[in-house]
Amino acid sequence: MIIKLGPSPALCKVEKYIYFLRPDDAHILAYDIVEQKWHRRALLSRKFQGIIEAPFPIKPIDIAFGLQRELLFADADGKLYATPNSQLKTKTKEANEIIDNLNEKQMQQTAVTTDDGANAIELELLGSLLGPSKGMMVDGRTGALFYAVPKYGAIVRCELQRNLTAEDNEIVYFTSKNIRQIFFGVGGAVWLLTDRLLSPDDHCFANI
């Protein structure tokens, strides 16, 4: 199970939700710390658009939070998704069309809504990572996404944008150790938490 404390809502200095992802489950659970209530929402995406037009259930294996407090999800296929109000760069000429579509989905909140009638969140497919991810984190300074690909022992960085391809993902570090968590230090340093001690030179990479 993946458990992460969400960002504080706008105009609020304290966190409001704790998010839970359960293995092989196409839902997200959120616990409202303030109201002490549980919320459960289905996660859907049109990832097979052109083959299957209806929204398809997504079973996320990782979660992170963007600079606009959007939710970012990765699935076992190495695909990256975001809640539909993500303000991301678009590499195609269809930017205005995408924005119009997103404006029609304003009822689908970044945080899990407390409206019992809205029991699903339709996610936007952003593109492809280098593989199933672990420990996704967004750099609060640059907005770049960092994640681990355990299969390859790689730490990867990419700029959050639409139409993300493998070429947009940059491998910044390799390790044979089992990566538990990625976190950020001062001066732009990126640190790893592993299940075994690394050599001093491997504890972080500065100014990435």
Side-chain angles (χ1 to χ4, degrees):
M1 176 181 288
I2 304 297
I3 303 174
K4 285 195 177 180
L5 181 64
S8 59
L11 305 179
C12 183
K13 295 183 179 181
V14 298
E15 294 81 2
K16 182 175 173 61
Y17 290 102
I18 304 175
Y19 295 94
F20 300 81
L21 299 179
R22 297 184 296 181
D24 203 34
D25 189 354
H27 295 80
I28 183 172
L29 293 175
Y31 180 71
D32 188 324
I33 302 172
V34 177
E35 298 185 9
Q36 298 184 359
K37 293 181 180 180
W38 286 94
H39 306 280
R40 181 173 183 264
R41 298 292 179 263
L43 299 175
L44 307 174
S45 175
R46 300 180 188 272
K47 64 180 294 185
F48 299 117
Q49 192 166 15
I51 302 174
I52 303 174
E53 295 301 327
F56 192 82
I58 298 302
K59 297 180 180 178
I61 61 172
D62 206 358
I63 182 175
F65 310 98
L67 297 184
Q68 282 79 43
R69 302 179 179 86
E70 67 269 33
L71 304 184
L72 303 169
F73 297 94
D75 66 10
D77 296 326
K79 300 297 184 182
L80 183 66
Y81 307 84
T83 44
N85 53 349
S86 308
Q87 298 177 8
L88 301 175
K89 294 181 290 185
T90 302
K91 295 193 297 182
T92 70
K93 297 179 180 179
E94 297 158 346
N96 293 333
E97 194 174 304
I98 293 175
I99 292 172
D100 290 341
N101 291 336
L102 295 181
N103 288 337
E104 294 176 2
K105 300 177 181 177
Q106 287 301 314
M107 67 182 63
Q108 297 164 333
Q109 303 290 333
T110 294
V112 175
T113 178
T114 56
D115 180 5
D116 292 335
N119 58 6
I121 304 173
E122 185 172 331
L123 305 174
E124 178 187 2
L125 175 62
L126 298 185
S128 299
L129 303 177
L130 289 186
S133 74
K134 181 178 182 180
M136 288 197 310
M137 292 286 290
V138 172
D139 188 340
R141 301 178 313 112
T142 65
L145 175 69
F146 286 82
Y147 64 94
V149 183
K151 179 179 179 180
Y152 305 118
I155 303 298
V156 185
R157 177 183 62 185
C158 67
E159 297 296 329
L160 283 175
Q161 58 189 17
R162 295 185 173 90
N163 304 306
L164 192 67
T165 66
E167 289 74 18
D168 298 314
N169 293 264
E170 176 190 6
I171 296 177
V172 296
Y173 191 74
F174 277 111
T175 179
S176 60
K177 308 300 188 293
N178 188 6
I179 301 166
R180 297 294 186 183
Q181 187 178 346
I182 300 171
F183 55 98
F184 302 105
V186 297
V190 181
W191 291 72
L192 301 181
L193 177 65
T194 74
D195 61 355
R196 286 179 289 173
L197 182 64
L198 301 173
S199 66
D201 292 339
D202 290 337
H203 278 187
C204 70
F205 9 85
N207 299 322
I208 287 180

